[in-house]
Amino acid sequence: MPAKQIVKVEGRALTFSNADKVLFPESAFTKGEVMAFYARIADTILPHLHDRPLTMKRYPDGIASPPFYEKNAPAHRPDWVVTFPVPRSEGGPDINYILCNDRATLLWATNLGDIEKHTFLARVPDLNCPTALVFDLDPGEPADIIDCCHVALSLRAIFETWGLQSFVKVSGSKGLHLTVPLNLPTSYEVTQPFAKALAQLAAAQDPDRVVFDMAKALRKGKVLIDWSQNSDFKTTVCVYAMRAKQGGPFVSMPVTWEEIGKAAKSKKPASLFFTPDQAVKRIRKFGDLFEPVLTLRQELPPTFLAALADSPPPKLTTWQRHQGKVRDKSLKEYASKRDHSKTKEPPAAHVKDARKAGPLRFVIQKHDASRLHYDWRLEMDGVLRSWAVPKGPPLALREARLAVHVEDHPVEYGSFEGTIPAGNYGGGTVMLWDHGEYEDVTGKPSEAFHAGKMHVTLRGEKLQGEWILVKDKRDADGNRWLLIKAGEGMKPLSRKQDDTSVTSGRSMKAIATGTDTPWENSAPKSVPAKANVNSRKAVIKQNTPPRYVEAMQCKAVTELPAEEGWSFELKFDGFRCLALKTGSKVTLFSRNQKSLNGRFPDLIPAFAAMPGDFAMDGEIVALDEKGKPSFQLLQNNRNQPLPVFFYAYDLVNHAGRDLTALPFEERRSSLETLSKAFVDPLRLSPLLPGGPEQMLSAVKTMGLEGVVGKKLSSRYEAGDRSGAWVKRRLNQEQEFVIGGFVPGSKGFDRLLLGVYAGKKLTYVAKLPNGFVQQTRRAIFPKLDALQTPDCPFANLPEPKGGTRWGEALTAEKMKECIWVKPKLVCQVGFVGWTSGGKLRHPTFVSMRDDKRATSVVRET
């Protein structure tokens, strides 16, 4: 058959591809047969899919390769595919889910490799109103589907005592799904507690067979009643969907209670597995056994609803938070706690209109009251959202601190510093410890706040970089949050820095004992929208000679920013380099602060001939015969010198002035002026014209690596990956640490790769491909010199069956490996990541000696 076919479905032209591709190797079941099955049952399955957001579980290479989940409708979807925006539980932009409401959409999604169809329990637009209860009966070996039948029959009997009808289907894998239709106004706050209570009841009645706890250690030989499926963020495989769980395709098929009873009595599990052909025949014979699930209206037991009404209020769901049904700690609470005839704190006159333009402000106040703490405040919706952080903001990467959400404060409070009389809301001393601008990565801080997770970048006097604020879901009151350091860690502040006001320069003692000034006159009330909050640093640091600073990092993104205020450049495939010139002395530093002078001596005279002193950030690049950057050629430069070029893209110091606090737009202008004196091999990194899609298309056509975007207003954040600089790769490629190898006839057969998560090295892949004989000969002596008896990977050994086809690095397999100290770094291309955090189809690109192994993390 041809690789592609254009087929008319309900008047829409669909392009179907690779119909002959085998998706189920053991049974040789092809993609075309999967498509044909869904075409044959479309009229039966579509009512159950209608208006329910669809999560696609895609198997583009068949079930032998790891699948990937896709919630967001792909950009290349036809314009007739209907979508619906659903808020993320962690905050951020909405997810545009596909609504599989017609035959054309059903087959279009299946053509993308979506074998299984996973949907919400609710329909749009009311995603907090599930139409049914669902119980997933999952047997733990050696229990099987027959044990599930016994449990299902017991559950049915419980439901019947409450006058509730239930329906059952096989999962298409090893268990059963039990459904109780509701089709009445309700919410997950009601259905989930009921489902949990019922699972607990069933486990109490039959403890030898049933378990309701998810812990795997408790599930052996028992049937788990998974009640947690009744959540606003969970999906369940749709009735009549094909499953990709076994060697051959089986269908999640409705069965009668009589069939469940017969199977339990005969102990013949084969009667509960249905191939696609058998499924089609059953539909023709019995029709849609799940049709009543669509319309049957049932209420939960009144006694349970009454008991629930007397219990503490349940947590709000993502959908409710998105709809604004959150009780804010408003300024009324702030006002009720203060007597303004006794305190200089600003009154809560009114909520200011949220500014529509300009940066948002943050403020951190050190407050010595009954207990010393730090108040973390973010401007939002015309007020300062506030958290009390008892131990102060975390500075070490991934360090987490408790942050207690307190009442909103007036925006004017952001400039308050002074003493508060005892008895007036705690009293004590308040220092304006830090202030500046912040951004939420979603661009929608209010929505992120209400969703319970904010990922912010701060640009302050003391704090610079990324932090995450996330609500503790275990706290019923919603006051407990965690404040976590993200991005890159910061150096600890000195005692003097911690005890100095950013506005008055006073210590806590000086504020407490000195003559205080009214809050109205204590500090600037705002940060000018167009001024960088740290612009004073550029003035303070005059007569500062060029010095080494850590390179500002780019955050990997899947889409380039489309809004104004960004510039774009090529992503070079070379060595990052900071060029320092002081008088006639030139030093080229790699990003791990090693001198590159001996490696690239031809660049030194060109820099030495430049006027003035400077620190210039850029990339050392070797070009192939087509003029494209080639990292492989650059690597070969060590043994066979060839022309290299330095592409400059930032200026961090010039003529004794530290420029890091200036916005990139100004630094770029200074660089362009200085570049007029460039001669080869010095070049200015060109800015790319056009919109993001135009640029990516052009860069892809030229076979280049990708595009870098830089926010025009961003300061130079040394060593940080704040998101003010982003990179969009056209291929998936990054550095990995070599932690061992599997020996072979040519020194090694496979390299064992990892990335750091904090201080722990995590194993992610065996690397068998991409090596030529010369490369193996060059790498092996380095590996041999670093041999160690200790495995450096924190997540080994892996359990048996942890990955497909015996690839798991079990304790037995580890005996074949030779470990090395994790000091070597290599560049690797790959198809993607599995859901288990492993690389798909990695290929060796080159060794990297310009980056510290400990700085290699997973790029997302």
Coordinates of all heavy atoms in Angstrom, one line a residue, residues 431-472:
M431 N 12.1 45.4 58.4 CA 13.1 45.9 57.5 C 12.7 45.6 56.0 O 12.2 44.5 55.7 CB 14.5 45.2 57.7 CG 15.6 45.5 56.7 SD 16.9 44.3 56.8 CE 17.8 45.0 58.2
L432 N 13.0 46.6 55.1 CA 12.7 46.3 53.7 C 14.0 45.6 53.2 O 15.0 46.2 52.9 CB 12.5 47.6 53.0 CG 11.5 47.5 51.8 CD1 11.1 48.9 51.3 CD2 12.1 46.7 50.7
W433 N 13.9 44.3 53.3 CA 15.1 43.4 53.1 C 15.5 43.3 51.6 O 16.6 43.2 51.3 CB 14.7 42.0 53.7 CG 15.9 41.0 53.7 CD1 16.8 41.0 54.7 CD2 16.1 40.0 52.8 NE1 17.7 39.9 54.4 CE2 17.3 39.3 53.3 CE3 15.5 39.5 51.7 CZ2 17.8 38.2 52.6 CZ3 16.0 38.4 51.0 CH2 17.2 37.7 51.5
D434 N 14.5 43.2 50.7 CA 14.8 43.2 49.3 C 13.6 43.6 48.5 O 12.4 43.5 49.0 CB 15.2 41.8 48.8 CG 15.9 41.7 47.5 OD1 16.3 42.8 47.0 OD2 16.0 40.6 46.9
H435 N 13.8 44.2 47.3 CA 12.7 44.5 46.4 C 13.2 44.5 45.0 O 14.4 44.5 44.7 CB 12.0 45.9 46.8 CG 12.9 47.1 46.6 ND1 12.5 48.3 46.9 CD2 14.2 47.2 46.1 CE1 13.5 49.2 46.6 NE2 14.5 48.5 46.2
G436 N 12.2 44.5 44.1 CA 12.6 44.5 42.7 C 11.4 44.1 41.8 O 10.2 44.4 42.2
E437 N 11.7 43.5 40.7 CA 10.6 43.1 39.7 C 10.5 41.5 39.7 O 11.5 40.9 40.0 CB 10.9 43.6 38.3 CG 11.1 45.1 38.2 CD 11.6 45.5 36.8 OE1 11.9 44.5 36.0 OE2 11.8 46.7 36.6
Y438 N 9.4 41.0 39.4 CA 9.3 39.6 39.2 C 8.4 39.3 38.0 O 7.6 40.1 37.5 CB 8.7 38.9 40.5 CG 7.2 38.9 40.5 CD1 6.4 37.8 40.1 CD2 6.4 40.0 41.0 CE1 5.1 37.7 40.1 CE2 5.0 39.9 41.1 CZ 4.4 38.8 40.7 OH 3.0 38.8 40.7
E439 N 8.5 38.1 37.5 CA 7.7 37.5 36.4 C 7.3 36.1 36.8 O 8.1 35.4 37.3 CB 8.4 37.5 35.1 CG 8.7 38.9 34.5 CD 9.5 38.7 33.2 OE1 10.7 38.6 33.2 OE2 8.8 38.7 32.1
D440 N 6.1 35.7 36.5 CA 5.7 34.3 36.5 C 5.9 33.8 35.1 O 5.6 34.4 34.1 CB 4.2 34.2 36.9 CG 3.8 32.7 37.2 OD1 3.5 32.1 36.2 OD2 3.9 32.3 38.3
V441 N 6.4 32.5 35.1 CA 6.8 32.0 33.8 C 5.6 31.8 32.8 O 5.7 31.8 31.6 CB 7.5 30.6 33.9 CG1 8.8 30.7 34.7 CG2 6.6 29.6 34.6
T442 N 4.4 31.7 33.4 CA 3.2 31.6 32.6 C 2.8 32.9 32.0 O 2.0 33.0 31.1 CB 2.0 31.0 33.4 OG1 1.6 32.0 34.4 CG2 2.4 29.7 34.1
G443 N 3.2 34.0 32.6 CA 2.8 35.3 32.1 C 1.4 35.7 32.7 O 0.9 36.8 32.5
K444 N 0.8 34.8 33.6 CA -0.5 35.0 34.2 C -0.3 34.7 35.7 O -0.8 33.6 36.1 CB -1.5 34.1 33.5 CG -1.7 34.3 32.0 CD -2.7 33.4 31.4 CE -2.9 33.6 29.9 NZ -3.9 32.7 29.3
P445 N 0.3 35.5 36.4 CA 0.5 35.2 37.8 C -0.7 35.0 38.7 O -0.7 34.2 39.6 CB 1.3 36.5 38.3 CG 1.0 37.5 37.3 CD 0.8 36.9 36.0
S446 N -1.8 35.7 38.4 CA -3.0 35.6 39.1 C -3.6 34.2 38.9 O -4.0 33.5 39.9 CB -4.0 36.6 38.7 OG -5.2 36.5 39.5
E447 N -3.6 33.7 37.7 CA -4.1 32.4 37.4 C -3.2 31.3 38.1 O -3.7 30.3 38.6 CB -4.3 32.1 35.9 CG -5.4 33.0 35.3 CD -5.5 32.6 33.8 OE1 -5.0 31.5 33.4 OE2 -6.1 33.4 33.1
A448 N -1.9 31.5 38.0 CA -1.0 30.6 38.6 C -1.2 30.5 40.1 O -1.2 29.4 40.7 CB 0.4 31.0 38.3
F449 N -1.4 31.7 40.7 CA -1.7 31.7 42.2 C -2.9 30.9 42.5 O -2.9 30.1 43.5 CB -1.8 33.2 42.6 CG -2.4 33.4 44.0 CD1 -1.7 33.1 45.1 CD2 -3.7 33.8 44.1 CE1 -2.2 33.3 46.4 CE2 -4.3 33.9 45.4 CZ -3.5 33.7 46.5
H450 N -4.0 31.2 41.8 CA -5.2 30.5 42.1 C -5.1 29.0 41.8 O -5.8 28.2 42.5 CB -6.4 31.1 41.4 CG -6.8 32.4 41.9 ND1 -7.3 32.6 43.2 CD2 -6.8 33.7 41.3 CE1 -7.6 33.9 43.4 NE2 -7.3 34.5 42.3
A451 N -4.3 28.6 40.9 CA -4.1 27.2 40.6 C -3.2 26.5 41.6 O -3.1 25.3 41.7 CB -3.5 27.0 39.2
G452 N -2.5 27.3 42.5 CA -1.8 26.7 43.6 C -0.3 26.5 43.3 O 0.4 25.8 44.0
K453 N 0.2 27.0 42.2 CA 1.6 26.9 41.9 C 2.1 28.1 41.1 O 1.6 28.3 40.0 CB 1.9 25.6 41.2 CG 3.4 25.4 40.9 CD 3.8 24.0 40.3 CE 5.2 23.9 40.1 NZ 5.6 22.6 39.4
M454 N 3.1 28.7 41.6 CA 3.8 29.8 40.8 C 5.2 29.5 40.6 O 5.9 29.0 41.5 CB 3.6 31.2 41.6 CG 2.2 31.6 41.9 SD 2.1 33.2 42.6 CE 2.6 34.2 41.2
H455 N 5.7 29.8 39.4 CA 7.1 29.7 39.1 C 7.6 31.1 38.7 O 7.3 31.5 37.6 CB 7.3 28.7 38.0 CG 8.7 28.3 37.7 ND1 9.1 27.2 37.0 CD2 9.9 29.0 38.0 CE1 10.4 27.1 36.9 NE2 10.9 28.2 37.5
V456 N 8.3 31.7 39.6 CA 8.6 33.1 39.4 C 10.1 33.4 39.2 O 11.0 32.6 39.7 CB 8.1 34.0 40.5 CG1 6.6 33.9 40.6 CG2 8.8 33.6 41.9
T457 N 10.5 34.4 38.5 CA 11.8 34.9 38.3 C 11.9 36.2 39.0 O 11.1 37.1 38.7 CB 12.2 35.0 36.8 OG1 12.1 33.7 36.2 CG2 13.6 35.5 36.7
L458 N 12.8 36.4 40.0 CA 13.0 37.6 40.7 C 14.2 38.3 40.2 O 15.3 37.7 39.9 CB 13.2 37.3 42.2 CG 12.1 36.6 43.0 CD1 12.4 36.6 44.4 CD2 10.7 37.1 42.7
R459 N 14.1 39.6 40.1 CA 15.3 40.5 39.7 C 15.3 41.6 40.8 O 14.7 42.6 40.7 CB 15.1 41.1 38.3 CG 15.2 40.1 37.2 CD 15.2 40.7 35.8 NE 13.9 41.2 35.5 CZ 12.9 40.5 35.0 NH1 13.1 39.3 34.7 NH2 11.8 41.1 34.7
G460 N 16.0 41.3 41.9 CA 16.1 42.1 43.0 C 17.5 42.6 43.3 O 18.4 42.3 42.6
E461 N 17.6 43.3 44.5 CA 18.9 43.7 44.9 C 19.7 42.5 45.5 O 20.9 42.5 45.3 CB 18.7 44.8 46.0 CG 18.0 46.0 45.5 CD 18.8 47.0 44.8 OE1 20.1 46.9 44.8 OE2 18.3 48.0 44.3
K462 N 19.0 41.6 46.2 CA 19.7 40.5 46.8 C 19.3 39.2 46.1 O 20.2 38.3 45.9 CB 19.3 40.4 48.3 CG 19.8 41.6 49.1 CD 19.3 41.4 50.6 CE 19.8 42.6 51.4 NZ 19.3 42.6 52.8
L463 N 18.0 39.0 45.8 CA 17.6 37.8 45.2 C 17.4 37.9 43.7 O 16.7 38.8 43.2 CB 16.2 37.3 45.8 CG 16.2 37.0 47.3 CD1 14.9 36.4 47.7 CD2 17.4 36.2 47.7
Q464 N 18.1 37.0 43.0 CA 18.0 37.0 41.5 C 17.9 35.6 41.1 O 18.8 34.8 41.4 CB 19.2 37.7 40.9 CG 19.4 39.2 41.3 CD 20.7 39.7 41.1 OE1 21.5 39.1 40.3 NE2 21.1 40.8 41.7
G465 N 16.9 35.2 40.3 CA 16.8 33.9 39.8 C 15.4 33.4 39.9 O 14.4 34.1 40.0
E466 N 15.3 32.0 40.0 CA 14.0 31.4 40.0 C 13.6 30.8 41.3 O 14.4 30.2 42.0 CB 14.0 30.3 38.9 CG 14.2 30.7 37.5 CD 14.3 29.5 36.5 OE1 13.3 28.9 36.3 OE2 15.4 29.2 36.1
W467 N 12.3 30.9 41.6 CA 11.7 30.2 42.8 C 10.4 29.6 42.4 O 9.7 30.2 41.5 CB 11.6 31.2 44.0 CG 12.8 31.4 44.8 CD1 13.2 30.8 45.9 CD2 13.9 32.3 44.4 NE1 14.4 31.3 46.3 CE2 14.9 32.2 45.5 CE3 14.1 33.2 43.4 CZ2 16.0 33.0 45.4 CZ3 15.3 34.0 43.4 CH2 16.2 33.8 44.4
I468 N 10.0 28.6 43.1 CA 8.7 28.0 42.9 C 7.9 28.1 44.2 O 8.4 27.8 45.3 CB 8.8 26.5 42.5 CG1 9.3 26.5 41.0 CG2 7.4 25.8 42.5 CD1 9.6 25.0 40.6
L469 N 6.7 28.6 44.2 CA 5.7 28.6 45.3 C 4.6 27.6 45.0 O 3.9 27.7 44.0 CB 5.1 29.9 45.5 CG 5.7 30.9 46.5 CD1 5.1 32.3 46.3 CD2 5.4 30.4 47.9
V470 N 4.5 26.5 45.8 CA 3.5 25.5 45.5 C 2.7 25.2 46.8 O 3.2 25.1 47.9 CB 4.1 24.2 44.9 CG1 5.1 23.6 45.9 CG2 3.1 23.2 44.6
K471 N 1.3 25.1 46.6 CA 0.5 24.9 47.7 C 0.6 23.4 48.2 O 0.7 22.5 47.4 CB -1.0 25.2 47.3 CG -2.0 25.1 48.5 CD -3.4 25.4 48.1 CE -3.5 26.9 47.7 NZ -5.0 27.2 47.5
D472 N 0.7 23.3 49.5 CA 0.7 21.9 50.1 C -0.7 21.3 50.0 O -1.6 21.7 50.8 CB 1.2 22.0 51.5 CG 1.4 20.6 52.2 OD1 0.9 19.6 51.6 OD2 2.1 20.6 53.2

